[in-house]
Amino acid sequence: MLGQLAAHARWSPLTRILVVGADAAGMSAAHTALRAADAAGRDVEITVLEATGHTSYSACGIPYWIAGDVPSGDDLVARTAAEHRSAGIDLRLGARAVAVDTERRRVRFEQDGTAGEAEYDELVLATGAAPIIPDWARAADGGLVDGVHPVKSLDDGELWTGLLERAGEVGGPSRAVVVGGGYIGVEMAEALIRRGLSATLVTRGRVMSSLDEDLGAEIEDALVAAGVDLRTGRTIDGLETTGGPGDRVSGVVTDTGERLGADVVVLAIGVEPATRLGGEAGLPLGEAGGYLPDPAGRIAPGIWAAGDCCEVEHRLTGRRAFLPLGTHANKLGRVVGDNLLGGDRRFGGALGTAITRFVAGGVHLEIARTGLSSDQAAEAGYDVAALVTTGTTISGYMPEAEVIHTKVLGDRATRRLLGVQIVGGPGSAKRVDAAAAALWGGLTVDDLAGMDLAYAPPFATVWDALQIAARRLADRL
Amino acid sequence: MLGQLAAHARWSPLTRILVVGADAAGMSAAHTALRAADAAGRDVEITVLEATGHTSYSACGIPYWIAGDVPSGDDLVARTAAEHRSAGIDLRLGARAVAVDTERRRVRFEQDGTAGEAEYDELVLATGAAPIIPDWARAADGGLVDGVHPVKSLDDGELWTGLLERAGEVGGPSRAVVVGGGYIGVEMAEALIRRGLSATLVTRGRVMSSLDEDLGAEIEDALVAAGVDLRTGRTIDGLETTGGPGDRVSGVVTDTGERLGADVVVLAIGVEPATRLGGEAGLPLGEAGGYLPDPAGRIAPGIWAAGDCCEVEHRLTGRRAFLPLGTHANKLGRVVGDNLLGGDRRFGGALGTAITRFVAGGVHLEIARTGLSSDQAAEAGYDVAALVTTGTTISGYMPEAEVIHTKVLGDRATRRLLGVQIVGGPGSAKRVDAAAAALWGGLTVDDLAGMDLAYAPPFATVWDALQIAARRLADRL
């Protein structure tokens, strides 16, 4: 009996893993599975289908490439196709998956105009998210009007660096309109101003609406101080174009009828999960249209999903949230990679942590948030108390001290920490991580106020700004 | 009966609070008690005896005053004597407490050469710590040899700015020896090099021995690269002086007989709790000679203690630790202030979090630690596993990316996080706070690796350096 078990344990059939999408989530899963197979002495064959010609790049880095911080799009590639292949992954670029047959475990795809079919034992859907393209941005032929473009892929980055090549020269682009006031919108406003353009930012709601209104107002003030022409609460009705041959954008018209001249228009309205493939195969989708992986990353027998095509579980609410970020893509990708061959890893959930900055026009503002906003907390049923505290990033007598605004949110019933938002000068934002760790552990506002955070005059005040804010809220809970 | 109880509750006698020591801990306790009394409608009389002429100043800021970052010692004063007094505190400067009569609840003190006595209902001992002065630093009259001095009080700072006034001029001081390789030693090496002196650092053990040896070696390399002449594993046998009138230091002699020329010598050997007052009154002291407040801050009926004169409870070991830092002084001071009138606040313990930097001679190094070192963890009975991971502070393609070394320590038996140490370039050290928060919550190495920390290219890598390090250790636990 023992001999039989041992023989069974040694029996290792070939497992065919098929990954659709070769960016962070897909390639994390692929490499992790490769390592897990290696460690377990298992035989795997890993094939990756990627519709575009690019793999494993930092989409978050594109605004900094456009701004001029990063010399080339190649610098944003974490691992090249050649590196993936030399690790033993059968990576097929330009191969667009078009249908999944979940019964027969096959994926149909198109490559170089011909149709192919790939069999799998385990399928990983990592198709990411696609930028939302409003109808007004399209030309008669269905393509984008020249000069109007999103900022998502390396191809987008290439296009933008081309569009801005002559920025600052006579006849070059000088006026930009950014549509969308979220992370990408703010980062692109920075990039465009740093490239010498004027920037008008139009947003349907507030700027950075993932933060509460009071801190959002600080961000809006900073943008205005840096010269951004702000139009909040506005939508775009349509474009104006130059007409004639070489027709391209010359302006946008808002819902109030205002005409804003524009040589380039950034589409930063958001992204949506690219889940047509699984949706058509009958796989369940969430409210935002994303796949719904369980904590192991599984969405159906033999089918897994990771990355921006998913709605992940929010650790504080237990509900699904569409949070298309590289952090979750990498973490969930790794979870899937480990579990494909029978591992037992779990994705711990998301806290909604996010960070960015706006550094342009003499302004240096850092922005971060974690956990629930006031609205989210109320909606989740918490009796939320919140307070903004203004202090300094480091000891006030140090020459580098900067203003920092910290908002702490807690639950009156349990004193539990619910969220933290930070807006301030250099050195402000990354301290949100201490709050994220506290949220991860389910700690209270009192814990955050009392914990042993690091202090020395060049790094913090003796009560860290985060703790002063937590202490003040704790006194009022 | 109910009427009697109510009458009793309304009966509010005057509570006489006597605080000895007017720095962070004492004045935190005093102001917190004042606010608590105010809120509760209680009648208090708060008297503070302070032996020196200074109150509520940042001792941690003195090296930056000496370095030239801070224009004046006044800038280091958080609250002046006048501000304390106008808040209603009877602050007596130059009043040295000499004896406590715990039976009769009285403290004898000396002020302006005359003896006084203060009665109390509640006594707060906040006498701080005193720099260790080795015998070799003393002149025949028992005072310090000219040019040899510690860095602890505002008077010390004043003396140092005087000593260095002519630094860089002909005949001015040009050679410094720093004795001690801890936080103050490293900070003073920075200050002296920035003031144009050469610096030799002599330390009995390693530099920054609160970090493990591997990361300590990174720090030593950086000091040497910045031009610090390092002598580790050496003690001082004696001084050489100029002799004659105006006798002052001209060098030190180490235990190997090496003579090191010195115009100034920094005493940064450490501090010891100033607990003679309580010790003579029979109050219990710990192994390091500090008071042993319970979590409420009490050391005996009617007697409380806070600040650098205390050994605080280490949250991870449950044992006492002498950690003379402003963070604990402020937090425990506040706990005491709330409890003096019957509050129920608790000090949550220390994690041993600490941070500093060395920025001089073309080097910019940040240093931080939290939790237990490898030796401390082994001594506390943990089966410790630890790993150093080298990465970058932010996305490698960003121009500001810097090298960061992160050491994560975990317990093999429980996978619990035990400590984190960080040495690296700008932006490295303060991320120790996320680890401190994780330690505070008793989280695992897996939690640290999996939690939702903030990422954007100018702030972190997509897996934060801390998480790459935690993940690598988790894989080996």
Side-chain angles (χ1 to χ4, degrees):
Chain A
M1 193 63 199
L2 198 68
Q4 273 188 332
L5 274 173
H8 179 77
R10 272 202 308 273
W11 177 71
S12 170
L14 174 72
T15 303
R16 294 162 307 172
I17 296 169
L18 181 64
V19 180
V20 183
D23 205 350
M27 298 319 287
S28 260
H31 283 277
T32 306
L34 215 51
R35 277 194 300 272
D38 204 41
R42 295 276 298 270
D43 218 8
V44 292
E45 179 188 278
I46 302 182
T47 307
V48 180
L49 306 178
E50 167 58 43
T52 75
H54 301 296
T55 171
S56 297
Y57 66 91
S58 169
C60 306
I62 295 173
Y64 304 99
W65 173 23
I66 296 171
D69 286 329
V70 181
S72 148
D74 292 343
D75 296 316
L76 300 182
V77 176
R79 269 202 269 207
T80 64
E83 287 168 329
H84 291 306
R85 287 175 184 139
S86 77
I89 293 168
D90 179 9
L91 171 62
R92 307 195 192 173
L93 296 180
R96 181 179 302 277
V98 291
V100 180
D101 182 338
T102 58
E103 288 296 312
R104 296 169 60 231
R105 297 205 171 196
R106 285 171 195 213
V107 171
R108 271 198 299 119
F109 63 93
E110 285 166 5
Q111 192 174 17
D112 305 325
T114 48
E117 200 170 56
E119 296 182 32
Y120 66 82
D121 299 308
E122 305 290 337
L123 174 65
V124 180
L125 298 176
T127 41
I132 295 171
I133 308 293
D135 289 339
W136 53 255
R138 296 195 186 277
D141 65 359
L144 288 163
V145 171
D146 268 11
V148 180
H149 217 78
V151 187
K152 181 69 173 67
S153 67
L154 284 182
D155 291 334
D156 296 336
E158 200 71 53
L159 187 136
W160 274 107
T161 53
L163 279 176
L164 298 176
E165 206 168 16
R166 296 184 53 234
E169 294 175 22
V170 177
S174 66
R175 302 164 306 163
V177 168
V178 177
V179 185
Y183 294 86
I184 302 294
V186 168
E187 289 164 9
M188 282 303 293
E190 169 185 323
L192 292 162
I193 291 177
R194 289 173 59 200
R195 291 297 298 269
L197 282 76
S198 69
T200 302
L201 193 150
V202 184
T203 180
R204 192 172 50 179
R206 300 186 282 109
V207 171
M208 298 298 285
S209 59
S210 70
L211 280 79
D212 282 4
E213 199 160 355
D214 37 18
L215 288 196
E218 298 284 347
I219 301 167
E220 292 181 359
D221 289 350
L223 291 180
V224 170
V228 176
D229 197 2
L230 211 55
R231 297 287 183 281
T232 56
R234 303 276 171 83
T235 54
I236 304 293
D237 268 4
L239 294 179
E240 293 182 328
T241 64
T242 54
D247 186 37
R248 53 175 294 111
V249 71
S250 61
V252 303
V253 182
T254 72
D255 56 346
T256 61
E258 189 184 16
R259 309 168 106 80
L260 300 164
D263 303 314
V264 292
V265 175
V266 177
L267 298 177
I269 299 162
V271 297
E272 53 196 359
T275 52
R276 196 189 49 76
L277 193 68
E280 288 179 1
L283 295 168
L285 301 177
E287 277 176 39
Y291 297 126
L292 302 169
D294 69 15
R298 193 184 278 105
I299 56 173
I303 308 185
W304 313 74
D308 291 356
C309 57
C310 297
E311 297 175 33
V312 294
E313 200 170 298
H314 198 296
R315 194 173 168 96
L316 299 183
T317 62
R319 298 183 197 166
R320 294 285 170 165
F322 179 54
L323 297 164
L325 288 170
T327 46
H328 309 313
N330 274 281
K331 286 182 184 117
L332 190 50
R334 183 166 179 259
V335 165
V336 166
D338 262 329
N339 293 342
L340 281 169
L341 298 174
D344 189 30
R345 203 178 282 275
R346 293 288 176 273
F347 179 68
L351 297 168
T353 311
I355 191 169
T356 193
R357 68 167 202 194
F358 177 85
V359 178
V363 165
H364 188 136
L365 196 75
E366 298 188 358
I367 303 161
R369 52 113 48 231
T370 187
L372 304 173
S373 66
S374 289
D375 288 349
Q376 289 172 330
E379 197 196 319
Y382 289 106
D383 182 8
V384 58
L387 198 67
V388 176
T389 300
T390 299
T392 57
T393 50
I394 65 174
S395 293
Y397 52 76
M398 295 294 285
E400 305 88 358
E402 298 279 348
V403 170
I404 177 172
H405 307 283
T406 307
K407 185 164 194 171
V408 178
L409 293 83
D411 177 33
R412 280 199 184 84
T414 61
R415 307 186 69 82
R416 195 172 156 182
L417 181 67
L418 295 177
V420 166
Q421 299 167 27
I422 298 173
V423 174
S428 292
K430 191 61 173 151
R431 65 186 72 199
V432 80
D433 281 354
L439 285 171
W440 193 266
L443 306 189
T444 62
V445 176
D446 310 275
D447 283 319
L448 182 57
M451 61 178 50
D452 187 7
L453 299 185
Y455 159 65
F459 293 99
T461 43
V462 65
W463 288 89
D464 188 278
L466 203 53
Q467 299 194 290
I468 297 173
R471 199 182 72 191
R472 288 187 66 228
L473 181 65
D475 283 347
R476 284 158 182 79
L477 276 179
Chain B
M1 192 63 198
L2 197 69
Q4 272 191 331
L5 272 173
H8 180 76
R10 272 202 307 273
W11 178 71
S12 170
L14 174 71
T15 303
R16 295 163 305 173
I17 296 169
L18 181 64
V19 179
V20 183
D23 205 349
M27 297 320 287
S28 260
H31 283 278
T32 306
L34 214 51
R35 277 194 300 273
D38 204 41
R42 295 274 299 269
D43 219 7
V44 292
E45 178 188 280
I46 302 183
T47 306
V48 181
L49 306 177
E50 168 58 43
T52 75
H54 301 296
T55 171
S56 297
Y57 66 91
S58 168
C60 305
I62 295 173
Y64 304 99
W65 174 22
I66 296 171
D69 286 330
V70 181
S72 147
D74 291 343
D75 295 316
L76 300 181
V77 176
R79 269 203 267 208
T80 62
E83 286 168 330
H84 290 306
R85 287 175 184 138
S86 78
I89 293 168
D90 178 10
L91 170 62
R92 308 198 191 170
L93 296 180
R96 181 179 302 277
V98 292
V100 180
D101 182 337
T102 58
E103 289 297 312
R104 295 169 58 231
R105 298 204 170 196
R106 285 169 194 217
V107 171
R108 272 198 297 120
F109 63 93
E110 286 166 4
Q111 193 173 16
D112 304 325
T114 47
E117 201 170 52
E119 296 183 33
Y120 66 81
D121 298 306
E122 306 291 337
L123 173 66
V124 180
L125 298 176
T127 41
I132 296 172
I133 307 294
D135 288 339
W136 53 256
R138 296 196 186 277
D141 65 0
L144 287 164
V145 172
D146 267 12
V148 180
H149 218 78
V151 187
K152 181 71 172 70
S153 67
L154 284 182
D155 291 334
D156 297 336
E158 200 71 53
L159 186 137
W160 275 107
T161 55
L163 278 176
L164 298 176
E165 204 168 18
R166 297 184 52 234
E169 294 175 20
V170 178
S174 65
R175 300 164 307 163
V177 168
V178 176
V179 185
Y183 294 85
I184 302 294
V186 168
E187 289 164 9
M188 282 301 294
E190 168 184 324
L192 292 162
I193 290 177
R194 289 174 59 201
R195 291 296 299 266
L197 281 77
S198 69
T200 303
L201 192 151
V202 183
T203 177
R204 192 171 51 177
R206 300 186 282 108
V207 171
M208 297 298 283
S209 59
S210 69
L211 280 80
D212 283 3
E213 199 160 356
D214 37 18
L215 288 195
E218 298 285 347
I219 302 168
E220 292 181 0
D221 289 351
L223 291 179
V224 169
V228 176
D229 197 2
L230 211 56
R231 297 287 184 282
T232 56
R234 303 274 171 83
T235 55
I236 304 293
D237 268 5
L239 293 180
E240 291 182 328
T241 64
T242 54
D247 186 37
R248 52 177 291 112
V249 71
S250 61
V252 303
V253 182
T254 73
D255 56 347
T256 62
E258 188 183 17
R259 309 168 106 80
L260 301 165
D263 304 315
V264 292
V265 174
V266 177
L267 298 176
I269 300 163
V271 298
E272 53 197 359
T275 52
R276 195 190 48 76
L277 191 69
E280 288 179 0
L283 295 168
L285 302 178
E287 277 177 37
Y291 297 125
L292 302 169
D294 68 16
R298 192 184 277 106
I299 56 172
I303 308 183
W304 313 73
D308 292 357
C309 56
C310 297
E311 298 175 33
V312 293
E313 201 170 298
H314 197 295
R315 194 171 168 97
L316 299 183
T317 62
R319 298 182 198 166
R320 294 286 171 165
F322 179 54
L323 297 164
L325 289 169
T327 46
H328 309 313
N330 274 281
K331 288 182 183 117
L332 189 51
R334 183 166 178 258
V335 166
V336 166
D338 262 329
N339 293 342
L340 281 168
L341 298 174
D344 188 30
R345 204 178 280 275
R346 294 289 176 269
F347 179 69
L351 296 168
T353 310
I355 191 168
T356 192
R357 68 167 203 195
F358 176 85
V359 179
V363 165
H364 188 134
L365 196 75
E366 297 188 359
I367 303 161
R369 54 110 50 228
T370 187
L372 304 173
S373 66
S374 289
D375 288 349
Q376 289 171 331
E379 198 197 318
Y382 289 106
D383 183 7
V384 59
L387 197 67
V388 176
T389 301
T390 299
T392 57
T393 48
I394 65 173
S395 293
Y397 52 76
M398 295 294 284
E400 305 87 358
E402 297 279 349
V403 170
I404 176 172
H405 308 283
T406 308
K407 185 165 195 170
V408 178
L409 294 83
D411 177 32
R412 281 200 183 83
T414 60
R415 306 185 70 82
R416 193 171 157 184
L417 180 67
L418 295 176
V420 166
Q421 301 167 27
I422 298 173
V423 174
S428 293
K430 190 62 172 152
R431 64 186 73 197
V432 81
D433 281 353
L439 286 170
W440 192 267
L443 305 189
T444 63
V445 176
D446 310 275
D447 283 319
L448 182 56
M451 61 178 49
D452 187 7
L453 299 186
Y455 159 65
F459 293 101
T461 43
V462 63
W463 288 88
D464 189 278
L466 202 54
Q467 298 194 291
I468 298 173
R471 199 182 72 191
R472 288 187 67 228
L473 181 67
D475 282 347
R476 284 158 182 78
L477 275 178

